[in-house]
Amino acid sequence: MSETAVMDVEKLSAEQAEAELARLAEEIARHDRAYHGEDAPTIRDADYDALRARNSAVEARFPDLVREDSPSVRVGATLQSQFEKITHRVPMLSLDNAFNDDDVADFVARIKRFLRMDGDIAFTAEPKIDGLSLALRYEQGRLVSAATRGDGVTGENVTQNARTLNDIPDQLTGPDVPEVMEVRGEVYMGKADFLALNQRMAEEGKQTYVNPRNTAAGSLRQLDSAITASRPLKFFAYAWGDVSTVPRGSQFEMVQLLGEWGFSINPLMGRFESVEAMLERYRLIEEQRAGLDYDIDGVVYKVDDLALQERLGFVSRSPRWAVAHKFPAELATTILEKIEIQVGRTGALSPVARLTPVTVGGVVVSNATLHNEDYIAGIGSDGLPIREGRDLREGDTVTVYRAGDVIPKVMDVDLSKRPADAQPFVFPETCPACGSVAVRDLNAKGRPDSVRRCTGGFMCPAQAVEGLKHFVGRDAYDIDGFGDKQAEAFYNWGLVMNPADIFTLQKRNERSLTKLQNRDGYGKTSVDNLFAAIEERRSVPLDRFIYGLGIRHVGRTNSKLLARHYHTIEAFLAPMENNVALLEQFAGDGAALTKAVSKDEVEGGETWGSLVSIDGLGTVAIQALVQFFADADRRRVVDELLAEVTPEPVELVVSDSPVAGKTVVFTGTLEQMSRDEAKAMAERKGAKVSGSVSGKTDLLVAGPKAGSKLTKAQSLGIEIIDEQGWLDLVGN
């Protein structure tokens, strides 16, 4: 866990945010595998979504730190192999979350700002069913396939099982049925049916089930459809995916039409035109929650007008026009038995609370984050007291909170129950893994950073092992048979000390007297399979190569931005080489250097400018890139790795759009749309949006009050059009 996990997002430094996003990505991926892949979640849906809420909040404040493995760009989990796969023609995305009234008001305000609308906007509100998402494809009115959400892009083919549900019609009847209609909804099991099933299982001496959601998911994903047919599964329809035509103009009307076609729709769904009315429906549904025969964990709000939904579009893994308002979570009291320090990939020393196991919201919690040494001492990132200055000590009775900001976290301490011999916790000033000095660098305000980091670098075994785990992770090299366990074992055996060693392992094994196949857990077949899997990864996409390097502040999203911008490994490495001297000249102050480059005040600033021009890549990430390649040891490992692998170039975007593959800059005041909407439109059309003008800019869209960017574009002979010209060009 990260030491940043309990801090208010607004108080996070960039370094703390980077550590927190790494922790969240790992934890959410683990829960994804349990929930989507194994139908055995270890936390409630509300708690899981709360983890995503914190991840989204951190990313919103630090957009340049978004990781490639971020939950915000990923849905679901990898699929099991027992079912055939079906690719969703329209991805099945998840929803962003709101946890209080202010969040809902902010959601509505964001939509109005995006659309530049001051008047009322209608929204629908409906219960969020705690079940298994399902997509049903109908052609000429007949059911032809049914697929689970899967990873959001590809799901499992459960068509035969879906046909056994009484709530899923085999033939659509009623008005205006399109030639192609993909109906989406939630498969669930009623509470009464679940209790009856468990009672029957107990009477038969069989193992009972944990909860209705898991049971419904497992029942739908049976290889024998007769088992599915024997289970009392139900289905609520509430959305649609791929359709040949949309016969109604609003969300509410479309859902009512689904009911006319024979689907069950939720009777608590309503249409509202104010935040107050939306919240009133939320409270009504919350009051009725216990009496409903199905589990829900919140209320979903959606913009009712489908034309406005189209304009709003999507961001990452979620639609802009919808949000899930979650129900509150719970508190529990337990004993903080021990405080342990973990060392992460970037050297951050992260305190973790080992707790006497306690059940919170139906889940047993035995560990919690303690953020950092200041948090333990009762001090916030601003230097002011938190918890009224109460520190945390081993043996304390603490309150554990699971929801909203992060799950789980230690919220407070009961001093009246503190043991007489409890001592203040002394945070180590040396790395517990390698003994190197652990320091708190000064932040931008000249104060010690909240994160204490090991200075051992590659010499620190904890950093080295975590770096190897990152390199072979699913979103980097993803070597079959080489995961976290193997990374740790091979490092401890002295066989793989850095990523390049992975690709020389087979040759060294052939020369070694101690063969890998003679070690415990390995035989000839497993070793041959491992070496074959390693050989398959000698060529990987450029973005995976960049991500695998484990550069701070360069996650999955930034890696893709860099790969799409530079296309080849050679082009990517060039600015890293040329910017080291500039960064040293500005004493490591990337923000000051960026400002100087933008004003053409720096000799040789073109390559730094090429990094700055990448829309979405912030100064912190740029500085981290340059510093990474300025480190001789890290560059040596990169060179050794490049001697063994070949990063695949990124192909240019091919599209019918007139702006596909072009770099577009917007400047001045846009009058017909917000800047965010213009940017989203350009990206949908295949263009790259940059924040600065350079020789690589293809088009400048200039509104009133355009300033220096317009002047520079004119001097460079770049094509310039106004806002209406842009809309005419892209066909909107």
Side-chain angles (χ1 to χ4, degrees):
M1 294 183 187
S2 167
E3 72 274 20
T4 61
V6 292
M7 179 182 279
D8 184 351
V9 171
E10 293 303 316
K11 297 180 180 179
L12 291 175
S13 68
E15 291 79 9
Q16 292 165 340
E18 187 268 343
E20 177 69 337
L21 289 174
R23 183 195 72 81
L24 288 167
E26 179 181 355
E27 183 171 355
I28 291 171
R30 174 162 45 83
H31 291 314
D32 277 342
R33 291 191 292 272
Y35 185 95
H36 295 284
E38 302 167 11
D39 296 327
T42 55
I43 63 173
R44 295 183 309 165
D45 279 1
D47 299 335
Y48 165 86
D49 288 337
L51 283 173
R52 285 188 177 273
R54 181 169 176 84
N55 186 83
S56 298
V58 176
E59 290 180 342
R61 184 161 179 258
F62 297 92
D64 56 313
L65 301 188
V66 177
R67 299 165 56 90
E68 273 306 316
D69 62 346
S70 167
S72 65
V73 295
R74 174 169 43 81
V75 178
T78 53
L79 302 179
Q80 297 181 350
S81 59
Q82 64 215 48
F83 291 96
E84 294 180 357
K85 297 178 181 179
I86 291 181
T87 299
H88 302 300
R89 301 192 184 188
V90 176
M92 295 186 72
L93 303 179
S94 295
L95 299 177
D96 280 339
N97 297 313
F99 292 98
N100 53 52
D101 294 359
D102 289 341
D103 289 345
V104 177
D106 288 343
F107 163 69
V108 175
R110 285 197 306 272
I111 286 177
K112 290 184 177 181
R113 285 196 302 269
F114 189 96
L115 298 172
R116 287 192 173 177
M117 294 179 62
D118 296 325
D120 291 335
I121 297 177
F123 291 83
T124 60
E126 61 189 299
K128 185 177 183 297
I129 311 300
D130 188 13
L132 181 72
S133 297
L134 189 67
L136 306 168
R137 185 176 180 84
Y138 290 83
E139 296 178 0
Q140 306 299 327
R142 293 197 62 81
L143 178 65
V144 296
S145 69
T148 62
R149 180 199 300 271
D151 62 4
V153 176
T154 305
E156 295 168 324
N157 187 342
V158 292
T159 307
Q160 295 308 311
N161 293 351
R163 292 185 190 278
T164 67
L165 274 66
N166 293 331
D167 286 338
I168 296 179
D170 193 59
Q171 177 73 49
L172 299 185
T173 58
D176 304 322
V177 176
E179 291 185 7
V180 175
M181 183 69 206
E182 182 188 307
V183 178
R184 293 179 175 179
E186 208 81 4
V187 174
Y188 68 98
M189 183 176 290
K191 296 176 184 177
D193 290 331
F194 171 74
L195 293 174
L197 175 63
N198 259 355
Q199 182 177 350
R200 185 168 71 249
M201 299 294 285
E203 291 172 351
E204 296 174 358
K206 298 178 181 179
Q207 184 176 354
T208 56
Y209 298 101
V210 177
N211 58 52
R213 191 270 167 197
N214 292 9
T215 310
S219 299
L220 185 67
R221 300 170 70 223
Q222 292 288 329
L223 294 178
D224 184 357
S225 59
I227 297 178
T228 305
S230 70
R231 303 284 171 80
L233 300 181
K234 299 177 182 179
F235 179 77
F236 272 130
Y238 54 72
W240 56 96
D242 183 38
V243 296
S244 53
T245 59
V246 180
R248 298 290 185 270
S250 74
Q251 182 78 27
F252 188 81
E253 291 171 340
M254 275 298 299
V255 172
Q256 299 307 307
L257 185 59
L258 294 178
E260 294 183 49
W261 290 342
F263 291 100
S264 294
I265 59 175
N266 198 288
L268 293 175
M269 180 182 186
R271 183 179 182 277
F272 309 94
E273 295 190 356
S274 70
V275 173
E276 293 75 16
M278 294 160 64
L279 294 176
E280 184 178 344
R281 177 52 59 102
Y282 171 87
R283 298 190 218 295
L284 173 64
I285 293 175
E286 186 178 23
E287 289 173 3
Q288 297 183 7
R289 181 183 184 186
L292 299 176
D293 190 42
Y294 46 88
D295 283 332
I296 61 175
D297 56 6
V299 172
V300 176
Y301 308 118
K302 299 177 183 177
V303 171
D304 189 44
D305 189 320
L306 300 186
L308 294 183
Q309 287 188 13
E310 178 69 20
R311 284 181 60 188
L312 287 160
F314 301 85
V315 54
S316 198
R317 62 182 285 277
S318 307
R320 283 192 181 91
W321 41 266
V323 71
H325 188 180
K326 311 299 289 188
F327 293 135
E330 303 173 26
L331 300 173
T333 301
T334 187
I335 304 298
L336 197 171
E337 296 181 350
K338 189 174 181 58
I339 299 175
E340 295 183 355
I341 304 297
Q342 297 179 345
V343 182
R345 174 173 56 85
T346 62
L349 272 59
S350 304
V352 178
R354 304 303 183 193
L355 307 170
T356 300
V358 61
T359 300
V360 187
V363 177
V364 177
V365 171
S366 57
N367 304 313
T369 180
L370 290 176
H371 174 44
N372 57 41
E373 57 191 287
D374 284 347
Y375 185 83
I376 294 174
I379 302 171
S381 62
D382 54 5
L384 299 177
I386 55 175
R387 299 188 304 273
E388 298 181 346
R390 293 184 289 274
D391 68 337
L392 300 173
R393 305 182 185 184
E394 294 180 346
D396 274 343
T397 298
V398 295
T399 302
V400 182
Y401 180 65
R402 302 185 67 248
D405 233 5
V406 66
I407 308 161
K409 73 176 181 181
V410 174
M411 185 177 185
D412 208 345
V413 57
D414 187 345
L415 294 183
S416 68
K417 297 181 180 179
R418 171 168 285 174
D421 59 350
Q423 297 296 315
F425 181 77
V426 179
F427 205 92
E429 296 183 357
T430 58
C431 174
C434 70
S436 298
V437 174
V439 300
R440 296 175 67 174
D441 294 329
L442 295 180
N443 59 27
K445 297 182 179 179
R447 293 199 300 261
D449 193 87
S450 298
V451 179
R452 187 176 291 274
R453 295 185 187 277
C454 167
T455 58
F458 280 169
M459 299 299 294
C460 176
Q463 292 187 60
V465 169
E466 291 303 313
L468 286 173
K469 291 178 180 178
H470 176 84
F471 181 84
V472 299
R474 182 179 61 183
D475 297 312
Y477 274 68
D478 192 21
I479 301 173
D480 190 24
F482 199 131
D484 290 358
K485 180 180 178 181
Q486 289 75 21
E488 192 165 346
F490 288 177
Y491 183 89
N492 292 334
W493 292 339
L495 296 177
V496 176
M497 311 307 288
N498 63 58
D501 288 345
I502 295 173
F503 298 93
T504 63
L505 181 60
Q506 184 173 5
K507 288 183 179 180
R508 288 185 285 115
N509 186 66
E510 292 171 354
R511 297 193 301 264
S512 175
L513 296 178
T514 306
K515 304 292 186 186
L516 180 59
Q517 51 266 37
N518 295 329
R519 295 182 183 268
D520 289 342
Y522 285 92
K524 184 178 185 308
T525 299
S526 61
V527 170
D528 288 345
N529 290 340
L530 174 62
F531 289 154
I534 291 173
E535 286 300 307
E536 290 180 359
R537 289 295 184 268
R538 287 191 179 273
S539 178
V540 296
L542 178 58
D543 63 289
R544 282 179 173 261
F545 175 87
I546 297 172
Y547 175 70
L549 297 178
I551 304 169
R552 286 180 64 191
H553 310 303
V554 181
R556 290 181 61 194
T557 297
N558 279 342
S559 297
K560 285 190 174 181
L561 286 174
L562 290 162
R564 286 198 297 264
H565 184 82
Y566 289 109
H567 303 300
T568 67
I569 184 63
E570 294 79 12
F572 166 69
L573 292 177
M576 311 309 152
E577 301 281 2
N578 297 333
N579 278 313
V580 174
L582 277 177
L583 193 57
E584 292 175 348
Q585 177 184 338
F586 278 76
D589 190 342
L593 175 53
T594 297
K595 184 177 180 180
V597 168
S598 67
K599 294 182 178 180
D600 295 326
E601 296 175 349
V602 179
E603 288 288 335
E606 294 81 5
T607 51
W608 184 275
S610 75
L611 285 163
V612 174
S613 70
I614 303 174
D615 189 60
L617 189 69
T619 301
V620 172
I622 295 171
Q623 187 170 341
L625 276 163
V626 175
Q627 289 176 331
F628 179 92
F629 285 97
D631 185 294
D633 287 337
R634 296 186 187 279
R635 185 55 201 261
R636 174 183 54 79
V637 171
V638 173
D639 290 340
E640 291 176 358
L641 182 60
L642 286 172
E644 301 293 335
V645 303
T646 304
E648 300 168 3
V650 175
E651 295 183 6
L652 295 174
V653 176
V654 178
S655 171
D656 293 334
S657 168
V659 296
K662 293 186 176 182
T663 299
V664 180
V665 176
F666 293 91
T667 188
T669 303
L670 300 184
E671 299 176 322
Q672 300 183 55
M673 67 185 80
S674 66
R675 183 68 59 86
D676 286 341
E677 185 173 359
K679 176 182 174 181
M681 180 188 299
E683 291 174 343
R684 286 199 303 270
K685 299 294 184 179
K688 292 192 298 182
V689 180
S690 176
S692 61
V693 174
S694 71
K696 296 184 178 180
T697 303
D698 297 299
L699 179 66
L700 180 77
V701 181
K705 299 182 182 179
S708 59
K709 292 179 183 178
L710 175 59
T711 302
K712 187 170 184 178
Q714 290 170 335
S715 68
L716 294 174
I718 293 169
E719 181 182 358
I720 301 169
I721 59 176
D722 61 14
E723 183 179 3
Q724 187 58 53
W726 164 256
L727 294 174
D728 294 339
L729 177 64
V730 297
N732 284 61

